[in-house]
Each structure stands twice: as C-alpha cells, then as structure tokens.
Amino acid sequence: DRAAADLIARLERIDAHQVDEVVSMWRCSRNESRRRLKDDPSTEIHSDTAGGTRNSSAGTWHVSHIAEHYPNFVKLLNKWMWSQLEPNARKHFRCTTLSINHYFRAQRHRDQNNAGMSVTDSFGRFPGGWLCTWPDDQGPKKQDKFALRSWDSAVYDTYRQAILFNSNQTHE
C-alpha cells in the first residue's frame, strides 16, 4: 500500500510499468469460491476482491477487507483503469469492485454478479493474456456457452490495452 501511495503522491500520470511494479508486490489470497472457473477445479485460485462487495443471500453491500486496509492500492488500480478508458466510456462506466487475479486463466463462463460492463487489464509476466468474448451471446436461457463457436469470438490482447467488455456475456 505504501508503494501505491508513493506513486499516487509523486506522479500526475501513472504508466503501465509503474502499475506493474506495484501489482507484482501483491500476493492474492486463495479463493475457494472461484474454483468453478477453472478447467481443473482442484487447482488453487489466487484472487482478491477490492471495493464494494454484495452478500447476495442477505442483499447487503459492504466494503471489502482489501479496500478498507489497502486503500492506496485500490486507488492506484482505479486511477489506472480510468486513465485507460476512452473519454466516452468514462461517462457511462461505473465501477464498484476490482478483481485481482494471480496466474488465473478462467474457462469459458458468464459472470453472475456483475451489474454492467467490466474492464480487464494484464500485468506481470505469464503466458497468455488474451481475452475472448462473444459479443453476440444471447445469455444462458438462449444458448449454451460451450456451444458458441470460437471463430465467432472477438479476441483482445490485454497486455496491450485495457479492455471494456460485457462480462455477463460469455468470455474466457
């Protein structure tokens, strides 16, 4: 959190290399609730959630432990994310929650708890970094996500740029 605070205080504009340095210091927790997103559910997933989180069974919102205890880290990620969005997207995009994943390649899925658009970006050194989305996906009641053809997907390199996409539609 201190490294993030230093960057925020020193710099008007933050570049990808600086964000990468801070993110590389972060150690994600083991996350048991995201196992369904892996090809092999026995594989550990290291993923953290920062910001507002919703307890769906109680219907209540709370501030995540990470946002509460590492506010500068969360502020840095938010500042970076907003700087990467096109001006028109900034007008309409609202963010409540950040997911930080470490060496995590999700299988094809649709997010279940998102209220709108999502942004993804990649930091660090690892193979992959591609996002495939199916913009014409009509949802779970209309089509099976595994029946969607790979050649109908849009493919993005999340190392090159942050990607704004509808995560309620199928993606991997």
Side-chain angles (χ1 to χ4, degrees):
D1 200 54
R2 191 173 302 136
D6 290 345
L7 271 178
I8 292 166
R10 281 188 301 123
L11 302 170
E12 181 69 27
R13 181 147 170 80
I14 299 167
D15 69 32
H17 177 72
Q18 293 157 327
V19 175
D20 189 37
E21 283 182 31
V22 174
V23 170
S24 70
M25 293 183 229
W26 189 258
R27 295 295 170 250
C28 290
S29 307
R30 250 181 42 211
N31 187 323
E32 297 296 325
S33 65
R34 300 192 85 193
R35 285 187 184 273
R36 66 178 178 72
L37 298 177
K38 292 290 277 185
D39 293 327
D40 177 3
S42 67
T43 306
E44 286 186 353
I45 293 174
H46 295 271
S47 174
D48 287 325
T49 302
T53 58
R54 186 169 187 267
N55 179 329
S56 54
S57 60
T60 57
W61 285 85
H62 69 277
V63 175
S64 72
H65 171 82
I66 292 164
E68 199 170 330
H69 295 281
Y70 303 97
N72 294 305
F73 179 66
V74 175
K75 190 182 290 185
L76 175 73
L77 294 177
N78 270 300
K79 188 171 183 171
W80 171 255
M81 178 187 62
W82 283 103
S83 75
Q84 298 304 298
L85 292 175
E86 296 292 329
N88 190 42
R90 281 187 222 134
K91 287 184 206 173
H92 305 288
F93 183 72
R94 299 295 175 260
C95 177
T96 57
T97 309
L98 298 167
S99 292
I100 303 112
N101 302 309
H102 183 75
Y103 286 107
F104 176 61
R105 183 192 179 281
Q107 70 177 352
R108 191 176 293 189
H109 69 285
R110 295 179 182 105
D111 290 354
Q112 296 177 345
N113 296 316
N114 289 15
M117 300 297 280
S118 293
V119 174
T120 188
D121 207 347
S122 293
F123 299 97
R125 303 293 168 254
F126 58 90
W130 298 95
L131 170 70
C132 298
T133 67
W134 280 263
D136 296 329
D137 178 16
Q138 298 174 16
K141 294 189 184 336
K142 301 265 185 185
Q143 59 196 148
D144 175 14
K145 63 186 172 240
F146 293 106
L148 296 169
R149 300 177 307 207
S150 59
W151 56 83
D152 289 333
S153 69
V155 181
Y156 304 95
D157 182 353
T158 63
Y159 274 127
R160 289 190 177 272
Q161 63 183 3
I163 307 298
L164 179 68
F165 72 106
N166 183 346
S167 60
N168 294 311
Q169 291 178 317
T170 300
H171 59 283
E172 59 184 19

